């Protein structure tokens, strides 16, 4: 950083403080560090300042002063994203705008099956408050204790319940957004049906803050599903898991809420992170499925699970299985899934992916991709797991222990290259649920059809002509100089 | 029309024929009449030509020549819309582009729970072909024998199954769209999850052809729900119907597929259209609910309906009820709903509406609105019915028999004014599921918040700078001269 740039930062900080006040503007490097580091700790950056508005009007004022100063704004929720969508890549030109203080639940209306919440609400806390009213918000993902609903909407988060309830997009009834010109888009209606023309709010869902800053969300609620049956099943192959999913969709109708597949390695990894975790099934079947059926009211969920499993075991589709006999046992089954992630993290930096292909091709995709990686990187291990119903696989590649950092980085880079080549062959998506952020921008950019690019650029320039909203995220809209 | 304009039309017709060929271009007034008249027969218009492309490339060529000639394009599906979205309002400046010949089913993949269909597929025919593969596409509305899927997507159609499966938007996986510059947006992927940045296809869903022409759609399929239980219930009030809906959402979990309310007048109207229709319930309860539970596989749907009704009748929430004992009886119950619409049509032109309010306020809204109309128009009759779960009411007003046409028109105009005033008081929507088209443009325009207008205009001008796509639909984007 040159002296002139440092001076520029100083002036910008003074201007921000004078416009917004010390309560909102953080500039201390230590205090800012937490907002400028990604969830995995892979990347550390900085910012001109971190702004922490308490209200929609504060956000609007923040946008106006940043615009005046020519600063880019990187909106941030719980900072749990996995693709560097909320971390500035030009510390001397960007501010982070954290929504964490806008965390009020404005309304939970059980009679109306809706709620209005501010962007900074932590997903889990919000779900707990909703559950207290007998209602349910189905979004469920690993980071739910830290992620915030504004970030979930901005990234159109997925998670384990998508097969039944859809992505976050399908759970949103309305949005309040501060636009790049500092005006407030008030679309917080809770109407279930509203067909008044082009649905503008859709633009901001999944835009990762590149078109405006989501400050509040109205959402759909469901009756709380107080009956849950959870089973861990051992199968002869991933292909059988897919056949099982199809059968479960028909047999269990719309009452299935999760259907996750895992390899046997999941148990090893989970035990590395949680040595005392009970494993209630033989750990050496070629494939496992963690399945959940849930509901409320008059449907006997336990009986449904029992009869379903009897049928598929009789037919040989499932080789072995265990149904959780208590909530604690169900929790332990889910801990295998979570422990597997923690176990991977303990093996050091590795390649993570988030791919979707068509359901029909999921098994052959995993086989082809794992074979390609084994051939290119014989000393690495592939771990494939994910959401069968969504054709969504997280195929991760773990380099062996004892490699030097640059050797690990080289393995990770090559693994990604090999994997993406297979993804392209299957017409798959390189981001099923995590978004693009800055991490996947080059891969996204390289695959973007020309018509998509023109349309995306036209929309971006129409709504954010100053290109100040989350610059560098998703696409670099700067004209090439 | 002046001679000069007629000459202009003649030149334009020649240019269209020379660019696209006689097979695609209709100019004969009789042949065009069918495309230039709305569903109710309320409005008759004309066009420079009706274009009937057979392929996506034909559509692109049509857009390019129209652009060259400076002609506006009005895309049309089955022409069953209720808001004049597909009828030109400048016959000497607009062409109708009918998608009816693009009616191939490109793929039905039961294993993948998806299909790819061209815009001109008739909804019912498409659903039948899908059912033959054991699958189900849940969109269901009165016009399904004539409407086409491209129009359903363009208008984000609703219908009777929205409470369970969502609007058309939630059933769409991908789109192919011809853009105003004649390029083809190929977004026909069938991936269930794809989070690669801003979801551009959302722009075209519900845009009523104002941003581009949808030529093909990929859609979600479900297992066919071969078990259906249908019941007609008599209740003490609409408020009780809402309480019943809340209870049904919890008791029947996600297995309820329809929950319609009707007034006792429904039976009178249905009998006027279908004198022999059996009515299997006393016709004088204050409110009726037509309820459907459906599913596939291992859930006993009949038993669920039985136990649900026992509970709510014991509690006095439902006074009387009949469960269809056969498919024929179920069909007859639905015929009451359909006959009611036909009965209204037989009473001559009347005011139709399509309103949504919050579920909690549905009963008081209907009471207030009917009282306001009774006071303003004591010789007219209100008929309110609709989709409880969506807070969606069709409150129609029937003028008395024997009025002169201009007197009827005056009643209809005043009824709409009175009704909209009540809708505004309830923060409701003047279009829950029908769209804006040209019919509701003035009412939409008058209620559009300034931030929405700026955003909508920016998006329109970015994608369709020549303002050639469905001019006059939704909003008049022309600068005021």
């Amino acid at each position: 950083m040159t002296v002139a740039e440092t001076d520029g930062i100083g002036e910008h900080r003074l201007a921000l403080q004078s416009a917004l006040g010390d309560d909102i503007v953080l500039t201390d490097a230590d205090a800012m560090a937490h907002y400028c580091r990604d969830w995995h700790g892979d990347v550390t950056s900085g910012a001109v300042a971190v702004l922490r508005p308490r209200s929609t009007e504060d956000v609007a004022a923040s946008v106006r002063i940043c615009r005046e100063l020519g600063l880019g704004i990187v909106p941030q929720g719980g900072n749990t994203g996995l693709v560097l969508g909320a971390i500035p890549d030009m510390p001397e030109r960007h501010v982070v705008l954290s929504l964490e203080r806008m965390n009020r639940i404005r309304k939970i209306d059980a009679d109306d099956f809706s709620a209005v919440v501010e962007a900074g609400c932590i997903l889990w806390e919000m779900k707990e408050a909703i559950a207290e009213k007998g209602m349910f918000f189905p979004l469920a993902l690993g980071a739910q204790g830290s992620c915030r609903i504004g970030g979930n909407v901005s990234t159109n988060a997925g998670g384990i319940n998508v097969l039944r309830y859809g992505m976050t997009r399908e759970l949103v009834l309305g949005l309040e957004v501060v636009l790049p010109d500092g005006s407030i888009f008030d679309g917080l209606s809770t109407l279930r049906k509203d067909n008044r023309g082009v649905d503008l709010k859709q633009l901001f869902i999944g835009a990762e803050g590149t078109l405006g800053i989501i400050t509040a969300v109205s959402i759909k609620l469901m009756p709380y599903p107080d009956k849950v049956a959870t089973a861990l099943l051992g199968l002869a192959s991933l292909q059988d898991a897919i056949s099982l999913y199809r059968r479960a969709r028909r047999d269990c109708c719309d009452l299935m809420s999760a259907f996750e597949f895992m390899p046997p390695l999941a148990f090893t990894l989970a035990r590395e992170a949680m040595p005392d975790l009970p494993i209630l099934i033989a750990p050496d079947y070629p494939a496992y499925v963690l399945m959940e059926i849930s509901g409320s009211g008059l449907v006997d969920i336990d009986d449904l699970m029992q009869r379903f499993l009897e049928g598929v075991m009789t037919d040989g589709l499932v080789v072995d299985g265990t149904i959780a006999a208590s909530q604690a046992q169900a929790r332990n089954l889910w801990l295998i899934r979570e422990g597997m992630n923690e176990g991977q993290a303990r093996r050091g930096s590795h390649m993570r992916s988030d791919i979707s292909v068509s359901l029909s091709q999921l098994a052959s995709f995993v086989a082809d991709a794992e074979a390609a990686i084994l051939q290119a990187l014989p000393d690495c291990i592939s771990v494939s797991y994910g959401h069968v119903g969504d054709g969504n696989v997280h195929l991760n590649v773990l380099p062996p222990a004892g490699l030097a950092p640059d050797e690990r980085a080289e393995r990770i880079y090559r693994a990604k290259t090999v994997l993406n080549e297979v993804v392209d062959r299957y017409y798959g998506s390189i981001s099923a649920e995590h978004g693009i952020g800055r991490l996947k921008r080059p891969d996204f950019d390289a695959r973007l059809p020309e018509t998509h690019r023109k349309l995306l650029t036209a929309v971006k320039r129409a709504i954010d002509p100053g290109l100040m909203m989350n610059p560098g995220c998703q696409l670099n809209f700067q004209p090439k100089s």
Side-chain angles (χ1 to χ4, degrees), chain A:
Chain A
M1 199 179 292
T2 68
V3 177
E5 275 168 342
T6 314
D7 280 343
I9 283 190
E11 275 168 36
H12 286 148
R13 286 176 175 166
L14 284 175
L16 290 168
Q17 277 155 339
S18 126
L20 303 169
D22 285 346
D23 175 55
I24 290 181
V25 184
L26 277 185
T27 57
D28 177 74
D30 285 347
M32 291 201 299
H34 161 67
Y35 301 90
C36 297
R37 193 165 45 215
D38 82 308
W39 181 245
H40 283 112
D42 290 348
V43 170
T44 303
S45 184
V48 174
V50 173
L51 310 182
R52 298 189 303 155
R54 292 183 185 275
S55 68
T56 308
E57 288 67 33
D58 284 352
V59 174
S62 302
V63 168
R64 286 193 296 267
I65 180 69
C66 287
R67 193 178 166 186
E68 215 170 279
L69 299 172
L71 296 174
I73 300 175
V74 180
Q76 188 177 95
N79 195 14
T80 62
L82 300 174
V83 292
L84 307 179
I87 304 294
D89 53 8
M90 292 179 71
E92 73 286 4
R93 302 290 309 152
H94 296 169
V95 302
V96 170
L97 190 147
S98 167
L99 279 301
E100 66 187 354
R101 282 168 158 182
M102 285 194 64
N103 61 354
R104 278 175 310 144
I105 292 177
R106 293 194 189 162
K107 189 171 75 172
I108 298 174
D109 188 341
D111 283 345
D112 192 47
F113 298 92
S114 71
V116 181
V117 296
E118 291 186 347
C121 287
I122 289 179
L123 178 57
W124 180 252
E125 292 175 5
M126 204 182 100
K127 286 170 66 168
E128 288 283 283
I130 287 164
E132 272 170 35
K133 309 247 177 186
M135 303 304 284
F136 180 61
F137 182 64
L139 183 63
L141 58 163
Q144 60 187 3
S146 313
C147 66
R148 296 174 191 266
I149 185 67
N152 298 140
V153 175
S154 278
T155 58
N156 188 27
I160 57 168
N161 290 342
V162 172
L163 78 169
R164 177 152 165 189
Y165 301 101
M167 301 286 278
T168 303
R169 182 183 305 279
E170 294 174 49
L171 304 171
V172 171
L173 292 171
L175 291 183
E176 179 187 84
V177 182
V178 174
L179 299 176
D181 67 359
S183 63
I184 297 166
F185 174 81
D186 178 4
L188 271 186
S189 147
T190 55
L191 296 174
R192 309 295 289 195
K193 253 186 184 172
D194 187 6
N195 231 358
R196 282 178 288 181
V198 175
D199 189 2
L200 294 167
K201 71 171 176 291
Q202 301 296 340
L203 277 169
F204 305 100
I205 303 173
E208 300 179 72
T210 59
L211 297 175
I213 301 167
I214 294 172
T215 49
V217 187
S218 43
I219 54 175
K220 292 182 192 170
L221 303 183
M222 288 85 181
Y224 193 86
D226 43 13
K227 299 171 185 177
V228 181
T230 313
L232 179 62
L233 311 173
L235 293 92
S237 69
L238 177 53
Q239 186 56 52
D240 276 2
I242 293 165
S243 303
L244 182 68
Y245 172 76
R246 289 189 187 122
R247 172 102 173 240
R249 271 299 299 273
R250 195 170 294 275
D251 280 5
C252 307
C253 206
D254 290 343
L255 300 176
M256 185 162 56
S257 42
F259 194 101
E260 304 281 306
F261 75 99
M262 296 184 295
L265 187 61
F267 301 112
T268 312
L269 290 163
R271 275 276 173 78
E272 287 174 17
M274 307 172 181
D276 300 328
L277 190 66
I279 308 284
L280 303 168
I281 194 167
D284 51 2
Y285 294 109
Y288 291 85
V289 162
L290 185 52
M291 176 179 170
E292 188 187 87
I293 306 177
S294 59
S296 58
L298 300 173
V299 182
D300 189 337
I301 297 293
D302 285 336
D303 175 67
L304 179 61
M305 178 67 97
Q306 200 81 47
R307 284 188 296 134
F308 173 68
L309 288 186
E310 277 166 25
V312 291
M313 291 183 88
T314 303
D315 296 349
L317 202 49
V318 168
V319 186
D320 191 4
T322 175
I323 302 181
S326 64
Q327 279 193 15
Q329 274 192 14
R331 177 82 197 114
N332 279 337
L333 295 183
W334 280 104
L335 277 177
I336 298 168
R337 178 75 162 77
E338 289 166 35
M340 169 180 62
N341 280 339
E342 215 176 303
Q344 291 177 71
R346 284 177 183 230
R347 290 200 182 185
S349 65
H350 54 278
M351 191 217 64
R352 292 177 293 270
S353 74
D354 170 34
I355 289 150
S356 59
V357 294
S358 85
L359 180 61
S360 313
Q361 295 191 296
L362 185 60
S364 69
F365 168 77
V366 169
D368 278 2
E370 290 194 347
I373 283 166
L374 185 66
Q375 191 178 15
L377 300 157
D379 61 355
C380 294
I381 294 172
S382 293
V383 193
S384 300
Y385 59 98
H387 319 289
V388 171
D390 314 321
N392 183 187
V393 50
H394 300 294
L395 192 162
N396 297 349
V397 177
L398 316 179
L403 284 188
D406 59 334
E407 290 175 316
R408 289 193 89 82
E410 185 269 347
R411 297 288 195 293
I412 291 172
Y413 179 82
R414 269 172 60 210
K416 202 174 81 166
T417 309
V418 170
L419 179 63
N420 281 349
E421 188 272 321
V422 186
V423 174
D424 290 342
R425 216 153 17 92
Y426 277 82
Y427 301 99
S429 169
I430 56 160
S431 183
E433 55 178 10
H434 293 168
I436 299 298
R438 289 166 179 81
L439 185 67
K440 296 193 179 178
R441 189 184 71 201
D443 289 333
F444 173 62
D445 198 350
R447 286 163 179 75
L448 195 63
E450 215 32 59
T451 310
H452 285 62
R453 183 187 306 274
K454 269 173 60 185
L455 202 49
L456 192 55
T457 305
V459 168
K460 170 74 173 177
R461 288 186 168 273
I463 298 177
D464 180 23
L467 306 181
M468 65 181 287
M469 292 309 310
N470 213 355
C473 183
Q474 292 198 351
L475 210 58
N476 195 343
F477 294 97
Q478 295 288 357
K480 294 198 170 70
S481 57

